Amino acid sequence: MIAWWRSGKPISGTAAVDERTKRLVMRLSGGEIAVIRHRDVDEVAAHGLLEAGVRAVVNALPFLSGSYPAEGALLLARSGVPLFEIAEADFARIPEGARLVLDEGHLWIEETATALPARRVTADELERRYRRGVANLEERLAQFIDNTLHFAAKEKAFFIRPLLTPVLRTPLQGRHVLVVVRGSHYREDLLAIRGYVEDWRPALIGVDGGADALLDFGWKPDIIIGDMDSVSDRALRCGADLIVHGYPDGRAPGMARLKQLGLSGHVLCAPGTSEDIALLLAYEKGAELIVTVGTHSNMIDFLEKGRQGMASTVLVRMKIGAKLVDARGVSKLYPRRLKWRTLAYLIGAACVPVAALSAVSESLSRLWRLVWVNVKLLMG
């Protein structure tokens, strides 16, 4: 079985297979070999794979094509995760749960006694591809702008008129609303605004996996919106208002997930991304301020999501205007309030050494008694 190994120590593990990386990371366990079909792996997907403790990653598409500077593959390689690329046609030949063995040139499937070509991708090669992606940025930016303007012209009528929103249990009128997307640096941003969330108690909207991000910080989402493909069962069962983002033609595949779990929800059909619709929902429901965490706002963000333009995002931000604030801005401008409980703790802590000194010092004790007598005389 191992006569074809070329060099080095082989890598073995159980295969976890899925075309959608963000769906796969929800069920990965430590030591498995992730088998994906993901061109230009993004940073969020890479973090998810690292947190799951994958032993190696096999990709049926280029980890980094050089079309633009995606950073996920470099993050994996620099973290010591072995990366292998296989032919796209071979993806369907790897069964879920199969025992895999990888070396520098092959992938061996023990159950079917099949050997597939598998090329190890090194960090040096990824660095070269990344530099090629940087060189291609100008061309990609021109294409991106053209696509954005084209679809903005087609979709503007939808975003100009009011959004037909469902009736929800969670009131948003006149409140601050925090919209959380599991995008780049979402953890750092949530940490930075923890004081704001605890003091102002904004309504919490999780966009797909953003609901799990809120739960991880100990906050229960009030509303969960998205296509329901990257949010956990735990989050969906937390009691939030559930809104499935459907296609403009009325299809809403995410409702099947809710029905499987015995849950009910609303369908909101609209073009654009789920995070755009979450922002519009908060705006149309009368939110006073909308704070965002992890949302996508630049070309690289959208290319990593497989979108060739950002028409809906531009239109939504134009409509919402000054009500929209990024979490990083909030963390820099918001002064944490000093709570009475905290103040009481500080006073109590200061009294402890004073009391201790009074107990051992006769002169200090006499001074406190004199103060107390004068206070009683002043109060009559």
Side-chain angles (χ1 to χ4, degrees), residues 10-159:
I11 302 163
S12 62
T14 302
V17 186
D18 204 309
E19 290 189 350
R20 305 290 297 276
T21 310
K22 64 179 182 178
R23 190 168 56 199
L24 179 63
V25 297
M26 295 170 59
R27 59 181 176 84
L28 275 172
S29 59
E32 291 183 312
I33 295 176
V35 182
I36 60 177
R37 189 174 172 275
H38 190 161
R39 184 185 303 275
D40 294 316
V41 174
D42 58 272
E43 185 180 350
V44 174
H47 278 297
L49 292 166
L50 289 172
E51 289 168 7
V54 291
R55 180 160 298 175
V57 182
V58 176
N59 198 346
L61 290 173
F63 280 100
L64 208 174
S65 66
S67 175
Y68 67 92
E71 298 190 359
L74 277 171
L75 177 60
L76 290 169
R78 290 167 181 167
S79 300
V81 177
L83 306 179
F84 294 82
E85 288 179 350
I86 61 172
E88 186 174 3
D90 287 337
F91 178 82
R93 302 178 64 182
I94 304 175
E96 174 74 21
R99 185 72 178 174
L100 305 183
V101 180
L102 290 156
D103 81 341
E104 294 294 330
H106 295 84
L107 180 154
W108 175 268
I109 307 171
E110 289 190 354
E111 281 76 0
T112 59
T114 304
L116 304 176
R119 193 174 66 84
R120 179 78 177 262
V121 183
T122 65
D124 288 342
E125 180 179 349
L126 291 172
E127 291 280 2
R128 290 193 295 272
R129 296 187 195 181
Y130 186 87
R131 289 193 293 270
R132 190 164 71 245
V134 172
N136 288 331
L137 268 180
E138 185 175 330
E139 180 182 352
R140 290 307 303 267
L141 179 59
Q143 297 171 355
F144 191 83
I145 292 172
D146 289 342
N147 283 331
T148 297
L149 295 176
H150 172 72
F151 284 101
K154 292 180 62 176
E155 297 173 356
K156 66 180 181 181
F158 175 88
F159 291 99

Side-chain angles (χ1 to χ4, degrees), residues 66-355:
S67 175
Y68 67 92
E71 298 190 359
L74 277 171
L75 177 60
L76 290 169
R78 290 167 181 167
S79 300
V81 177
L83 306 179
F84 294 82
E85 288 179 350
I86 61 172
E88 186 174 3
D90 287 337
F91 178 82
R93 302 178 64 182
I94 304 175
E96 174 74 21
R99 185 72 178 174
L100 305 183
V101 180
L102 290 156
D103 81 341
E104 294 294 330
H106 295 84
L107 180 154
W108 175 268
I109 307 171
E110 289 190 354
E111 281 76 0
T112 59
T114 304
L116 304 176
R119 193 174 66 84
R120 179 78 177 262
V121 183
T122 65
D124 288 342
E125 180 179 349
L126 291 172
E127 291 280 2
R128 290 193 295 272
R129 296 187 195 181
Y130 186 87
R131 289 193 293 270
R132 190 164 71 245
V134 172
N136 288 331
L137 268 180
E138 185 175 330
E139 180 182 352
R140 290 307 303 267
L141 179 59
Q143 297 171 355
F144 191 83
I145 292 172
D146 289 342
N147 283 331
T148 297
L149 295 176
H150 172 72
F151 284 101
K154 292 180 62 176
E155 297 173 356
K156 66 180 181 181
F158 175 88
F159 291 99
I160 289 173
R161 62 177 182 265
L163 182 69
L164 298 176
T165 60
V167 177
L168 303 174
R169 299 189 305 273
T170 305
L172 302 181
Q173 179 70 39
R175 298 181 64 184
H176 287 204
V177 175
L178 177 65
V179 177
V180 179
V181 181
R182 200 155 55 181
S184 298
H185 307 294
Y186 74 91
R187 289 186 185 83
E188 294 91 332
D189 290 349
L190 284 174
L191 280 172
I193 62 168
R194 181 185 288 276
Y196 162 76
V197 174
E198 293 175 352
D199 288 346
W200 284 91
R201 302 291 180 183
L204 304 177
I205 299 180
V207 179
D208 275 323
D212 290 286
L214 285 166
L215 288 173
D216 290 343
F217 273 75
W219 302 322
K220 185 181 85 65
D222 298 299
I223 299 170
I224 299 174
I225 185 169
D227 51 19
M228 306 301 167
D229 68 343
S230 59
V231 57
S232 70
D233 293 352
R234 173 188 67 146
L236 291 175
R237 291 191 171 111
C238 77
D241 283 306
L242 303 178
I243 303 176
V244 176
H245 180 198
Y247 294 103
D249 61 10
R251 290 178 296 123
M255 282 301 297
R257 170 95 184 275
L258 298 189
K259 290 178 180 178
Q260 287 175 354
L261 297 174
L263 300 171
S264 60
H266 307 277
V267 175
L268 188 52
C269 295
T273 67
S274 296
E275 62 193 69
D276 295 333
I277 304 309
L279 298 178
L280 269 184
L281 175 75
Y283 175 80
E284 298 290 355
K285 290 291 188 181
E288 179 186 353
L289 185 73
I290 304 169
V291 180
T292 60
V293 166
T295 53
H296 300 82
S297 58
N298 60 68
M299 181 182 73
I300 300 298
D301 283 347
F302 281 87
L303 291 176
E304 288 184 336
K305 284 175 63 66
R307 300 182 70 89
Q308 302 303 308
M310 53 186 292
S312 62
T313 299
V314 171
L315 295 171
V316 166
R317 280 159 171 72
M318 289 175 65
K319 183 171 184 176
I320 294 176
K323 284 190 175 184
L324 187 63
V325 181
D326 185 79
R328 295 176 194 179
V330 171
S331 67
K332 292 178 180 178
L333 297 175
Y334 171 70
R336 181 73 191 268
R337 297 173 180 174
L338 182 62
K339 295 183 177 180
W340 284 109
R341 181 184 299 175
T342 304
L343 185 59
Y345 287 154
L346 291 173
I347 294 173
C351 289
V352 170
V354 173

